[in-house]
Amino acid sequence: MTQAPVHSRPAPATAERSVGKPIDRVDGRVKTTGAARYSAEYPYPDIAHAALVHATVSRGRIAGIDAAAASAVPGVLAVITHLNAPAMKPPPPVSMMNLSTLASGTTVNYLNTDEVHWDGQPVAVVVAETLEAARQGASLVRVTYETLPATFDFAAEEKNAKPQKSDLVQSGGATKGDAEAALAAAPVAVDLRFTTPPHNHNAIEPHATTAAWDGDRVTVHDGAQNMYWVRDNLAMKFGIPAANVRVISPYVGGAFGGKTMVWAGTILTVLAARVTGRPVRLMLTREGVYRTVGGRTPSTQRVALGAEADGRLTALVHTSVTRLGRVGGGPEQVTSQSRHLYDAENILVQQNLVKLDLLPNTVMRAPGESIGTFALESAIDELASELGMDPIALRMRNEPERNPIDGKRFAHRMLREAYARGAERFGWSERTPEPRSMRDGRWLVGMGVASAYHPSWQFAANVTVRLSPDGTVVVRCGFHEMGMGGATAQAQIAADALGVPFEAVRMEYGDTALPTGPGAGGSGQTASIAASLLSACEKLKRSVLALARRSGDSPLRGQRMTGVEARDGGLYRTGGAGLGESYAKILTRAGRDSMEARVGSDTRVGAIAGQVRFMSKLMLDRRRWVKAASGAQFCEVRVDPDTGEVRVSRWVGVFDVGTVINAKTTASQLRGGIVMGIGMALSEETLVDPRNGRIMNPSLAEYHVPVHADIPAIDVSWLDEPDPTMPLGLIGVGEVSITGAAAAIANAVHHATGRRVRDLPITLDRLL
Amino acid sequence: MKAFSYVSAADVPAALRAISTEPNAKFIGGGTNLVDLMREEIERPDTIIDITRLPLSGVEELPGGGVRIGAMVRNSHLAAHRLIRTRYPMLSQAVLTGASAQLRNMATVGGNLLQRTRCLYFYDGAAACSKREPGRGCDAIGGFTRGHAILGASEACVATHPSDMCVALAALDATVVAESVRGVRRIPMTEFHVLPGDTPDVETTLAADELVTAVELPEIPVAATSAYRKVRDRASYAFALVSVAAALETTDGAISAVRLALGGVAAKPWRAHQAERVLLGAPATDETFERAADAELAPAVAQSQNAFKIELARRVIVATLRRLHTEGSAA
Amino acid sequence: MDVRMGGRPVVEIRMRVNGVMESLDLEPRVSLLDALREHLGLTGTKKGCDQGACGACTVLVDGERINSCLALAVQYDGRAITTIEGVADGEHTHPLQSAFVRHDGFQCGYCTSGQICSAIGMLAEHGAGAPSAVTEHLSADTIELSDAEIRERMSGNLCRCGAYNGIVGAIREVASGESGRDVMEAAR
Ligand SMILES: Cc1cc2nc3c(=O)[nH]c(=O)nc-3n(C[C@H](O)[C@H](O)[C@H](O)COP(=O)(O)OP(=O)(O)OC[C@H]3O[C@@H](n4cnc5c(N)ncnc54)[C@H](O)[C@@H]3O)c2cc1C
Ligand code: SF4
Ligand code: FES
Ligand code: FES
């Protein structure tokens, strides 16, 4: 048993069902009192501090390192460079049968090579008694380079991009019919080019690691989205068994994809601890995060749409160019949504890639769809203008019954309902369609709309559930809590499945000593754990029932699971008089101090079996249907007619995310994505100097994430219809709401000003 | 950050003695700029002289009708002060649009005057910058110059002065009072900061051993009808792309008094004398405002990425004057 | 100034931190933030940028909010510091702390200490009549604490998780309720 999806919700077991409720977070108190410890906050006596030295050339070889001045700083314990660092194993080749091989942020074997592959690559680590001495030491390490020819200018190199090859998990391109011919023949058409800049995650917690060796075992506190990848990667690099590495990560101060891979800071902290024989802590400087942790790739995109005069799409072309590093990075599914959103007769999507001598890109909230929906949904709006149609009506005219690109079934699709509800809540009917037709005082007012779309994922998860005679439940699973509210949601699920109060459930997570949990990515964590947790709870109830049936005294004697429900802290016969008994009674009578059920196995064989099961389920699922979260984004902007400043004044988002486990945390997640989408639309851009490939604004003062004053009240709601193919009917909510957000704003800006801005961010100079 | 020694000055003479005897010493006010620059290894003093305990934190009326602001007055206290809010609202507003509430609680008036540019290349030790290292060249030119100057720049440096407060002070004919072991000096605000020329490392006319003790504002009735308008890349907590400090008074439809200064456009807060000349005595119409803006911006030269600032500055000047004329001031 | 640590001169600093008198021997270059986190073990105050650009390090000094990352600890000798660990009244959490939980004014929790300390300082500033950049009439005696005012006044605290709505909701509730008046009294 059992990663099989559980298709139904558990029966409302107790009068007080937890699932769906806006329950306060279980970690609310520790997070509001400062008691929650993040990875730089574990006290170790004798802790030493590390600081990184970054390369200042894009490609080259280290010609010389002068560490004398750094070593002379009082308190400096070690200056570790490629000249004296112990050997580490290079990252392994990627294998889909061992997903942890995907974990390396880059293929560089840090401090084991004299090669420099990007401006910012760490070339030395300084370890010292104090933070101040470590940083001072790092500033004094003098490195000289032999530079090598390099390419880093995305705009200039974009023309050299090559088509992305498809693999098991990602498809680089697809066609249906002859889209270019249909485009040429279409009575109404738009053919547009969009660009999006690089972005950085900018979690407020910079990446931080605390590492302590004990012989050949190491404990690592590391803010991670996949502790098991960190564990396996470190074990491999340092040549020790994975069992010797324990990664502890209960609180992660934001991640958004930036803490998915294993980056230099983590590895080099563990290295520094090994070299110095001391526990070592490294919190990257904010600049260090920009220089060593990848961000979102920039893109150029072409979207061309052809339609009949009635709005029926005959051609949809979406192509993209994104970049990889020459030493890592991955393609982004920029055209993903364009395969699923519109029922065009002819479709051509193709993603292209160019490799540059830059820090490799990495996943960032809705990689692909966040920027892909900007282009597609802006283009749809432009086509609607060309056609003189309402943009929602155009979308509804092309709303497909089956997946447009290949005719597969949708597991679930409610975009029509989302638009209907959204239009109503937003007051879309008040909008006068002509650009510049709405004003509020001196402000130009614009209203825009766009679709949100993000595929749903599910990964393997091992879970144990333990029941005690006092009726309390402990759920153990090494999952990640970066703020999504996972612990709260899973406790709700367990409470309902076992018929115990929410407060009786305790979650243990964030530690590789626990049963292997899923990584936090692809908005898949909640569903992945829920599937296993529900199975584990079923198993547990069966075992408890078996125990009760063995006793002559139990009113459950002779009962089968089908005739029994879990509620009120025990098992009771359905219907009739509701005879049954509490867990406490059953366990106490049997003399058991606890009962446990487990799903999945952490043995080597078990782990491999788990991966195989995951991959085959993924493949099977992919063949059967298309699964996704989606939604309708409505926004209102005000534009200052003198200066072009854009302010978002209203937002309504209606999402189809299946069953909602916790109304409070779900709303926050959805709002959070929209906030990041507002930043992406209006102000965020990582500035990579095209003359040398160096990031020039590695700072929260110069990379403008939205502040309080940028964000209006955001109205989010959901349709709350379970997806029949997902555990409990739930679809992940972590990413969908950033998609479509930038397009909704761009479309609103057009409505306000008559200007189409196809290059993000929409800074005021683009509107002057 | 290198190690340094720390001296706390109890009174002005002690501070002046310390700065003239300790080698490579610097004053520290709120530290919000100096500590940041020290962490970036851009400022590397051997001694830091803490002046926050000096008795210079008063805001008081001067006999002649003006106001004297002690150099240690925190930015937040300055902005909230009744005298400033009612008589010089543009100054309150300018200070309030700068940085964040937390930083304004730390930052001093003296430190705000002497804060250094936010040029991305100045902040990056790997880049060439003549302000940091005289004669090394300027990587900003041809690079990211959204934040850079359109007025008064040189071939050596195109950076801007980032302060908002100073723009209002320039418009208000403020005087900086400086003291050293040699005595007291009074420097008009418009002469306090200097354009880069060939020596972008020289940013002010203050000597290294001089302490700013106060800023004085003359009595300016027109300042009661004034406003500060800052345009930036997000709604708050960002430096100005362009800002305008303006005061306007009309009599029978003609402009009878005016003050105008620009921020975000030059290495110093830019007092718009040319524009003021056009405005004074002319009818308060959009046409006049536009002519004034054009007069001021005629010598503007754009860098690779900031041509928009010329148009933006023009529009913000016009819009701010128009609003002052039609709606009055924020006080 | 005669004590040496790691060959560096250190200074003795005495501060009242959350009501407790603390004495520390620190190099002058140690920031107040690092003094709290690394030397006093008070890790509730967070480091997000070390550049004054995020507000995660916000603490109260004699009731006023500041960014402790750009503060040299030595400059705060003799002052009273309140961190997130000290805003509760014994076992009773501060009204803002519970309001943040109710309004879900956080996700990852990393900006939260700073947001709460900042909000306490902000309410005191507002209570004392201080204006903000969005205050329409600077000469007015009382300024209504609208959502726009709260947002502007809290803009020095970034939240990358985007919990801004919840934060504003929590502050609004506390500011308008009974608890709000207590907060302002206490902060004065
Ligand atoms: C993230 C961030 C955003 C910001 N945004 C803005 C903004 O939007 N607008 C804006 O205007 N500012 C902004 N600032 C800058 C801020 O206003 C300044 O840092 C502050 O005003 C400096 O004052 P201070 O007292 O902290 O100076 P310090 O850092 O203490 O000192 C700065 C300099 O002044 C010298 N100095 C200080 N006092 C005296 C004196 N009395 N006599 C002689 N020399 C002295 C010091 O030696 C030092 O060189 C921002 C800062 C940060 C960190
Ligand atoms: S513009 Fe001035 S401050 Fe900036 S890099 Fe050039 S010389 Fe330095
Ligand atoms: S850590 Fe102090 S403001 Fe970011
Ligand atoms: S809660 Fe994560 S940054 Fe605010």
Side-chain angles (χ1 to χ4, degrees):
Chain A
M1 249 241 38
T2 238
Q3 306 288 315
V6 178
H7 290 254
S8 59
R9 304 189 197 202
T14 43
E16 279 291 281
R17 244 174 60 96
S18 287
V19 166
K21 287 246 183 71
I23 293 178
D24 289 349
R25 285 170 198 264
V26 293
D27 53 7
R29 192 180 168 103
V30 289
K31 284 181 173 173
T32 52
T33 54
R37 276 189 199 281
Y38 297 79
S39 47
E41 298 168 357
Y42 286 81
Y44 280 88
D46 215 25
I47 190 111
H49 299 264
L52 300 182
V53 179
H54 304 278
T56 53
V57 298
S58 277
R59 196 161 157 256
R61 283 182 185 280
I62 299 171
I65 296 192
D66 178 358
S71 305
V73 170
V76 166
L77 299 167
V79 180
I80 311 168
T81 69
H82 73 286
L83 299 172
N84 59 5
M88 290 184 288
K89 300 235 170 52
V94 168
S95 147
M96 289 323 279
M97 282 298 114
N98 176 4
L99 292 180
S100 76
T101 55
L102 292 168
S104 296
T106 81
T107 56
V108 173
N109 199 4
Y110 305 108
L111 306 195
N112 275 221
T113 172
D114 64 349
E115 291 172 16
V116 173
H117 299 277
W118 76 88
D119 185 310
Q121 178 183 320
V123 292
V125 186
V126 178
V127 193
E129 298 285 353
T130 66
L131 193 55
E132 294 76 21
R135 284 198 63 179
Q136 184 189 3
S139 76
L140 294 172
V141 176
R142 291 283 163 266
V143 188
T144 48
Y145 306 91
E146 268 165 38
T147 56
L148 294 168
T151 49
F152 29 68
D153 183 353
F154 178 70
E157 298 298 326
E158 185 223 319
K159 58 182 184 298
N160 301 322
K162 303 261 182 335
Q164 175 192 338
K165 295 200 191 71
S166 298
D167 62 24
L168 271 179
V169 185
Q170 295 209 333
S171 148
T175 55
K176 180 175 87 173
D178 185 343
E180 295 287 6
L183 184 67
V188 184
V190 293
D191 195 339
L192 307 165
R193 186 186 143 92
F194 298 87
T195 68
T196 63
H199 296 135
N200 275 75
H201 311 82
N202 279 312
I204 300 297
E205 180 199 26
H207 294 59
T209 310
T210 305
W213 285 88
D214 179 8
D216 63 350
R217 311 180 75 85
V218 65
T219 303
V220 183
H221 307 272
D222 189 66
Q225 284 176 262
N226 197 326
M227 303 174 296
Y228 298 91
W229 283 12
V230 174
R231 178 194 66 188
D232 293 357
N233 194 267
L234 291 173
M236 182 277 305
K237 290 211 82 71
F238 291 91
I240 54 176
N244 286 14
V245 183
R246 181 172 175 199
V247 181
I248 299 174
S249 190
Y251 301 106
V252 182
F256 317 110
K259 295 170 183 171
T260 302
M261 305 289 172
V262 184
W263 300 97
T266 303
I267 296 167
L268 294 177
T269 312
V270 178
L271 179 81
R274 175 155 242 186
V275 168
T276 56
R278 297 266 298 263
V280 172
R281 171 173 304 152
L282 169 63
M283 179 187 271
L284 297 184
T285 60
R286 181 54 60 181
E287 176 182 356
V289 179
Y290 278 83
R291 303 232 181 275
T292 66
V293 177
R296 194 196 296 285
T297 172
S299 74
T300 58
Q301 302 178 50
R302 173 185 173 219
V303 179
L305 303 169
E308 301 292 350
D310 66 356
R312 210 162 36 79
L313 280 175
T314 52
L316 188 163
V317 178
H318 191 172
T319 64
S320 66
V321 179
T322 63
R323 67 160 151 80
L324 311 174
R326 217 169 308 267
V327 288
E332 285 213 5
Q333 292 290 76
V334 180
T335 67
S336 145
Q337 69 291 318
S338 304
R339 306 159 195 228
H340 310 298
L341 275 177
Y342 298 106
D343 202 5
E345 269 165 44
N346 301 279
I347 300 178
L348 164 65
V349 290
Q350 181 62 51
Q351 296 165 180
N352 303 285
L353 302 166
V354 59
K355 284 192 181 174
L356 299 178
D357 297 297
L358 293 172
L359 170 59
N361 71 310
T362 192
V363 291
M364 179 168 161
R365 205 170 201 161
E369 291 87 4
S370 53
I371 51 179
T373 49
F374 163 64
L376 178 67
E377 292 297 287
S378 296
I380 288 283
D381 204 73
E382 296 209 30
L383 181 66
S385 296
E386 288 293 317
L387 288 162
M389 257 178 105
D390 176 81
I392 300 178
L394 174 61
R395 288 180 173 87
M396 293 306 105
R397 167 119 347 134
N398 292 287
E399 177 62 13
E401 291 303 318
R402 285 187 166 245
N403 192 42
I405 192 86
D406 54 19
K408 279 183 206 158
R409 276 182 300 140
F410 292 121
H412 183 81
R413 176 100 171 183
M414 300 188 71
L415 215 42
R416 282 186 192 282
E417 291 81 349
Y419 270 104
R421 165 105 59 107
E424 163 106 32
R425 285 179 88 94
F426 184 77
W428 183 253
S429 57
E430 321 266 289
R431 175 183 186 261
T432 54
E434 306 79 62
R436 297 185 80 92
S437 64
M438 300 182 79
R439 277 192 179 248
D440 177 15
R442 63 194 186 89
W443 292 94
L444 299 167
V445 176
M447 298 183 183
V449 72
S451 296
Y453 185 93
H454 189 265
S456 73
W457 287 85
Q458 209 182 316
F459 308 99
N462 297 348
V463 172
T464 66
V465 182
R466 194 174 65 222
L467 179 67
S468 298
D470 63 1
T472 59
V473 173
V474 177
V475 177
R476 306 177 81 232
C477 174
F479 65 87
H480 307 80
E481 175 56 280
M482 306 109 59
M484 307 87 83
T488 314
Q490 300 301 336
Q492 289 175 265
I493 292 170
D496 283 5
L498 293 174
V500 299
F502 169 72
E503 294 75 21
V505 183
R506 186 162 58 81
M507 302 297 303
E508 290 184 8
Y509 56 95
D511 187 338
T512 53
L514 295 168
T516 307
S523 299
Q525 189 174 253
T526 307
S528 310
I529 305 163
S532 298
L533 177 56
L534 290 167
S535 301
C537 290
E538 278 313 304
K539 269 188 169 180
L540 185 63
K541 284 187 283 189
R542 274 174 210 284
S543 317
V544 174
L545 181 63
L547 202 62
R549 281 162 41 138
R550 258 180 259 144
S551 157
D553 303 341
S554 174
L556 294 167
R557 182 167 20 95
Q559 290 300 313
R560 292 161 162 277
M561 205 57 223
T562 45
V564 169
E565 65 183 356
R567 64 172 161 84
D568 301 327
L571 296 179
Y572 295 88
R573 285 152 67 168
T574 43
L579 286 176
E581 54 188 347
S582 70
Y583 296 129
K585 200 157 173 200
I586 301 170
L587 266 65
T588 311
R589 184 174 48 228
R592 302 286 288 264
D593 49 18
S594 70
M595 286 196 75
E596 189 168 284
R598 151 189 308 266
V599 165
S601 157
D602 284 311
T603 61
R604 229 189 138 72
V605 179
I608 294 170
Q611 293 284 7
V612 171
R613 221 166 25 233
F614 158 69
M615 284 308 288
S616 43
K617 176 170 156 36
L618 178 75
M619 292 304 131
L620 187 68
D621 259 10
R622 284 276 173 96
R623 265 208 298 278
R624 278 160 72 188
W625 42 48
V626 170
K627 299 190 192 193
S630 60
Q633 307 262 30
F634 291 78
C635 85
E636 179 189 275
V637 300
R638 264 133 224 267
V639 182
D640 186 306
D642 297 317
T643 61
E645 291 158 288
V646 179
R647 300 279 182 263
V648 177
S649 48
R650 252 169 7 104
W651 200 285
V652 171
V654 179
F655 298 93
D656 172 21
V657 288
T659 306
V660 162
I661 306 296
N662 184 317
K664 195 173 276 196
T665 55
T666 297
S668 292
Q669 280 264 84
L670 292 171
R671 289 198 180 101
I674 292 165
V675 170
M676 203 177 271
I678 292 174
M680 174 179 151
L682 297 179
S683 58
E684 291 186 35
E685 174 169 17
T686 307
L687 301 173
V688 181
D689 197 316
R691 300 170 301 180
N692 57 12
R694 186 166 171 85
I695 293 175
M696 288 312 302
N697 61 340
S699 142
L700 286 172
E702 304 296 342
Y703 180 108
H704 294 122
V705 308
V707 298
H708 271 285
D710 291 304
I711 303 303
I714 296 173
D715 174 30
V716 290
S717 58
W718 42 84
L719 302 169
D720 217 7
E721 279 293 323
D723 179 324
T725 69
M726 294 294 282
L728 272 185
L730 74 89
I731 310 175
V733 299
E735 293 168 282
V736 64
S737 67
I738 191 177
T739 70
I745 293 174
N747 296 340
V749 166
H750 170 256
H751 182 229
T753 64
R755 289 269 189 132
R756 291 285 181 191
V757 180
R758 303 186 190 103
D759 306 289
L760 294 183
I762 308 171
T763 45
L764 55 90
D765 42 311
R766 296 192 153 126
L767 295 171
L768 279 182
Chain B
M1 191 189 296
K2 73 179 200 186
F4 52 82
S5 31
Y6 170 83
V7 181
S8 178
D11 52 31
V12 171
L16 299 180
R17 255 193 325 275
I19 196 85
S20 59
T21 52
E22 299 283 345
N24 191 22
K26 269 203 113 77
F27 294 126
I28 188 165
T32 60
N33 193 223
L34 185 59
V35 173
D36 189 30
L37 293 173
M38 285 166 64
R39 218 170 253 146
E40 299 291 337
E41 304 289 334
I42 297 166
E43 298 272 17
R44 304 172 47 80
D46 288 316
T47 300
I48 274 198
I49 302 163
D50 188 351
I51 51 177
T52 52
R53 290 181 178 82
L54 299 183
L56 301 173
S57 10
V59 177
E60 59 220 37
E61 280 193 84
L62 290 170
V67 171
R68 181 186 168 94
I69 303 161
M72 288 307 116
V73 173
R74 306 287 159 168
N75 285 190
S76 51
H77 298 186
L78 175 65
H81 202 280
R82 282 271 144 206
L83 280 176
I84 308 299
R85 277 157 78 173
T86 50
R87 294 198 200 161
Y88 310 96
M90 67 153 79
L91 179 56
S92 274
Q93 282 188 326
V95 172
L96 290 170
T97 59
S100 68
Q102 289 95 313
L103 290 164
R104 294 191 296 270
N105 279 338
M106 303 170 78
T108 61
V109 166
N112 194 321
L113 283 171
L114 285 144
Q115 65 172 300
R116 305 193 68 188
T117 185
R118 308 300 289 203
C119 168
L120 302 177
Y121 299 85
F122 171 73
Y123 260 83
D124 181 10
C129 168
S130 290
K131 194 186 269 305
R132 261 190 289 111
E133 294 169 73
R136 243 198 88 188
C138 169
D139 275 352
I141 295 171
F144 294 111
T145 48
R146 250 177 97 70
H148 289 72
I150 51 173
L151 289 166
S154 73
E155 272 168 28
C157 177
V158 296
T160 51
H161 193 257
S163 168
D164 292 297
M165 179 191 82
C166 291
V167 182
L169 293 182
L172 293 171
D173 296 319
T175 303
V176 178
V177 184
E179 209 171 321
S180 70
V181 285
R182 297 178 302 280
V184 177
R185 248 183 0 125
R186 300 173 58 79
I187 311 164
M189 184 63 200
T190 45
E191 289 164 27
F192 186 79
H193 297 93
V194 296
L195 293 175
D198 300 335
T199 53
D201 53 314
V202 180
E203 293 166 0
T204 66
T205 49
L206 194 75
D209 65 346
E210 276 181 312
L211 172 75
V212 174
T213 54
V215 171
E216 291 181 1
L217 299 175
E219 186 185 14
I220 305 183
V222 65
T225 324
S226 70
Y228 185 74
R229 173 77 163 97
K230 176 175 180 179
V231 180
R232 43 185 157 174
D233 276 330
R234 62 184 172 193
S236 188
Y237 207 8
F239 290 93
L241 288 166
V242 165
S243 68
V244 168
L248 187 79
E249 190 184 82
T250 53
T251 313
D252 302 330
I255 298 166
S256 46
V258 63
R259 293 288 187 286
L260 191 69
L262 308 179
V265 297
K268 59 187 290 186
W270 193 265
R271 177 68 180 267
H273 291 296
Q274 302 301 330
E276 287 181 12
R277 227 161 273 146
V278 173
L279 291 164
L280 200 60
T285 60
D286 272 14
E287 193 272 318
T288 305
F289 301 153
E290 280 160 19
R291 250 187 326 115
D294 288 342
E296 194 62 50
L297 294 165
V301 178
Q303 294 302 312
S304 52
Q305 295 185 335
N306 68 0
F308 75 94
K309 280 170 106 172
I310 302 175
E311 174 63 14
L312 181 63
R314 184 174 179 277
R315 291 181 183 208
V316 185
I317 292 170
V318 174
T320 308
L321 292 171
R322 188 198 297 137
R323 283 194 81 188
L324 270 178
H325 178 54
T326 54
E327 294 170 32
S329 91
Chain C
M1 269 244 237
D2 47 1
V3 206
R4 297 201 150 236
M5 203 171 71
R8 287 279 167 226
V10 297
V11 283
E12 192 192 338
I13 296 163
R14 290 168 61 77
M15 297 183 292
R16 187 173 291 281
V17 182
N18 300 329
V20 179
M21 204 61 197
E22 302 277 2
S23 173
L24 288 168
D25 291 330
L26 296 176
E27 286 188 78
R29 62 178 164 172
V30 174
S31 69
L32 179 58
L33 175 60
D34 289 332
L36 293 168
R37 284 171 63 87
E38 303 292 339
H39 297 265
L40 292 172
L42 292 171
T43 53
T45 309
K46 304 302 181 195
K47 185 184 285 186
C49 68
D50 228 14
Q51 300 169 316
C54 77
C57 63
T58 305
V59 299
L60 299 163
V61 176
D62 299 324
E64 279 196 356
R65 51 180 169 160
I66 66 157
N67 288 342
S68 60
C69 68
L70 292 185
L72 296 177
V74 61
Q75 289 196 277
Y76 292 81
D77 188 24
R79 311 285 293 274
I81 317 292
T82 306
T83 69
I84 189 70
E85 290 94 341
V87 301
D89 178 9
E91 278 303 287
H92 299 282
T93 51
H94 189 283
L96 275 166
Q97 290 175 304
S98 36
F100 265 63
V101 176
R102 274 195 307 283
H103 287 264
D104 216 31
F106 57 92
Q107 293 186 39
C108 77
Y110 200 78
C111 72
T112 313
S113 306
Q115 301 276 1
I116 292 174
C117 287
S118 185
I120 294 173
M122 185 275 278
L123 291 176
E125 288 161 13
H126 174 257
S132 84
V134 299
T135 303
E136 292 246 349
H137 298 287
L138 282 176
S139 51
D141 285 324
T142 52
I143 299 160
E144 192 208 334
L145 197 59
S146 62
D147 284 2
E149 283 279 359
I150 295 175
R151 289 188 190 118
E152 164 57 27
R153 289 164 191 261
M154 289 298 295
S155 280
N157 291 85
L158 307 187
C159 177
R160 188 55 158 165
C161 295
Y164 292 131
N165 279 194
I167 297 168
V168 172
I171 295 173
R172 187 198 305 121
E173 179 189 297
V174 170
S176 61
E178 276 305 307
S179 48
R181 246 155 275 149
D182 295 347
V183 178
M184 289 190 279
E185 283 309 315
R188 236 169 258 164

